[in-house]
Amino acid sequence: MADPFEVRMRFSSQLQHLNASVASAQKAAQYALKYKDMDEDLHSCILEQVERNNMNTRANIMYFIEHFLDLAQRDGHSDYIRMMQRDIIRVVDAVAPDDGSGAANVKVVRKVLIGLQNKGFLENQVVTQIEDVIKERGTNDDDLGLASPTSDVDMTDAPASESKSRRRPATHGLDKRQVEQRIEEDRERHKRERERIWAVPKGEDAEMNKLWEETSDFGDDDDRLLTEEGDDFTKEMEIQQCHHQPPANRNGH
């Protein structure tokens, strides 16, 4: 019998190293299903890691959840689905907290919630209620400067007149490498979505059937959401970097 502590450590490590690839999500999901007799412990690992890690890792875990529940349903292990339904609000609060530190993750949350709703993992009413809560947590295009101080970066050069609520200390540091990594992973996800849309199986009338299915599952709103997610994240990171430029010497030196 596997050692429970070792199983937890291995699964936690896999969650910490998730990226935009399907392979990393499959590996973690298959591991959790392999040790489904420890489902309560492994579910608690998901909650712990989504609450402890930086913005990128939290987003990756959010994407992982949809993939994980898909495999759990195919495997016939409904307990993982039930536990995630029970704790989905806790997960959302961790990925896109109300202190603004996860503003760039709000669209990630919304996209995954829609996916879970379409697949029957979440009830329509639950998704609607959560969206009503998180709609004020995202980044406004007209107000990026207000969102950036709370997006995982300390605002050391913020104006003195700025309210304290706009200069909340970040809970997770976000360095340049993490910003570049997030942008690259978002691009990879968008590329994979486009490939999935146009992938056509062999067989008579396969193209027509595929287009019909994809029209109901992935519409213009979803495509626009993906594009806006990448654009908003890039804009927000650029503004954060501008805020962190050293102030010019008033004496001209």
Side-chain angles (χ1 to χ4, degrees):
M1 181 178 177
D3 177 64
F5 178 76
E6 182 180 357
V7 172
R8 283 182 59 91
M9 292 297 292
R10 286 179 179 270
F11 185 54
S12 295
S13 177
Q14 290 173 350
L15 293 175
Q16 292 168 10
H17 292 89
L18 286 171
N19 53 48
S21 72
V22 174
S24 69
Q26 285 182 335
K27 180 179 179 181
Q30 289 169 357
Y31 188 85
L33 291 170
K34 178 180 179 180
Y35 295 103
K36 56 190 175 186
D37 55 320
M38 305 180 192
D39 52 11
E40 286 282 359
D41 280 341
L42 297 184
H43 175 75
S44 70
C45 286
I46 296 175
L47 299 180
E48 289 173 4
Q49 295 305 316
V50 84
E51 291 174 341
R52 292 179 179 179
N53 282 284
N54 64 37
M55 184 176 67
N56 288 354
T57 303
R58 286 180 274 159
N60 287 334
I61 293 176
M62 192 71 199
Y63 281 117
F64 159 78
I65 287 172
E66 183 177 357
H67 186 80
F68 178 40
L69 297 191
D70 274 337
L71 293 186
Q73 185 179 58
R74 295 175 193 173
D75 193 65
H77 194 69
S78 59
D79 285 346
Y80 276 128
I81 299 173
R82 174 184 55 78
M83 288 184 285
M84 189 55 64
Q85 291 171 334
R86 179 192 68 199
D87 295 324
I88 189 63
I89 294 178
R90 179 176 173 183
V91 172
V92 169
D93 281 339
V95 178
D98 60 3
D99 65 359
S101 62
N105 279 346
V106 169
K107 290 187 178 180
V108 173
V109 171
R110 187 176 293 115
K111 181 179 183 300
V112 173
L113 288 178
I114 292 173
L116 296 176
Q117 178 185 22
N118 291 339
K119 295 175 181 178
F121 294 129
L122 292 177
E123 295 181 357
N124 296 348
Q125 183 180 0
V126 173
V127 174
T128 300
Q129 291 174 344
I130 295 176
E131 287 190 334
D132 286 343
V133 172
I134 66 172
K135 65 183 178 181
E136 300 299 331
R137 300 183 185 182
T139 302
N140 286 322
D141 291 339
D142 297 332
D143 201 21
L144 284 170
L146 301 184
S148 59
T150 57
S151 297
D152 292 9
V153 180
D154 291 327
M155 292 300 297
T156 55
D157 296 328
S161 60
E162 189 174 38
S163 67
K164 292 182 179 179
S165 62
R166 297 177 184 175
R167 294 185 285 119
R168 300 185 186 95
T171 56
H172 302 281
L174 190 68
D175 57 27
K176 181 179 179 180
R177 182 190 62 80
Q178 291 173 333
V179 172
E180 293 173 348
Q181 177 186 352
R182 173 62 178 274
I183 294 173
E184 184 60 32
E185 288 181 348
D186 283 345
R187 286 173 180 167
E188 179 63 26
R189 290 191 184 95
H190 297 168
K191 177 183 176 182
R192 199 165 61 243
E193 286 287 350
R194 290 193 296 270
E195 291 173 348
R196 184 181 69 83
I197 294 170
W198 294 109
V200 179
K202 296 181 180 179
E204 186 177 359
D205 295 330
E207 184 172 1
M208 180 180 295
N209 293 335
K210 182 65 176 178
L211 288 173
W212 177 265
E213 292 173 0
E214 293 295 346
T215 298
S216 60
D217 292 338
F218 194 95
D220 293 338
D221 290 340
D222 299 300
D223 193 33
R224 185 168 59 252
L225 183 63
L226 287 173
T227 303
E228 290 175 355
E229 177 186 330
D231 292 345
D232 284 354
F233 183 83
T234 303
K235 291 177 183 178
E236 184 176 347
M237 293 304 102
E238 289 175 351
I239 288 181
Q240 288 177 0
Q241 292 172 357
C242 289
H243 276 289
H244 282 78
Q245 293 296 326
N249 192 309
R250 294 182 178 178
N251 295 325
H253 299 295

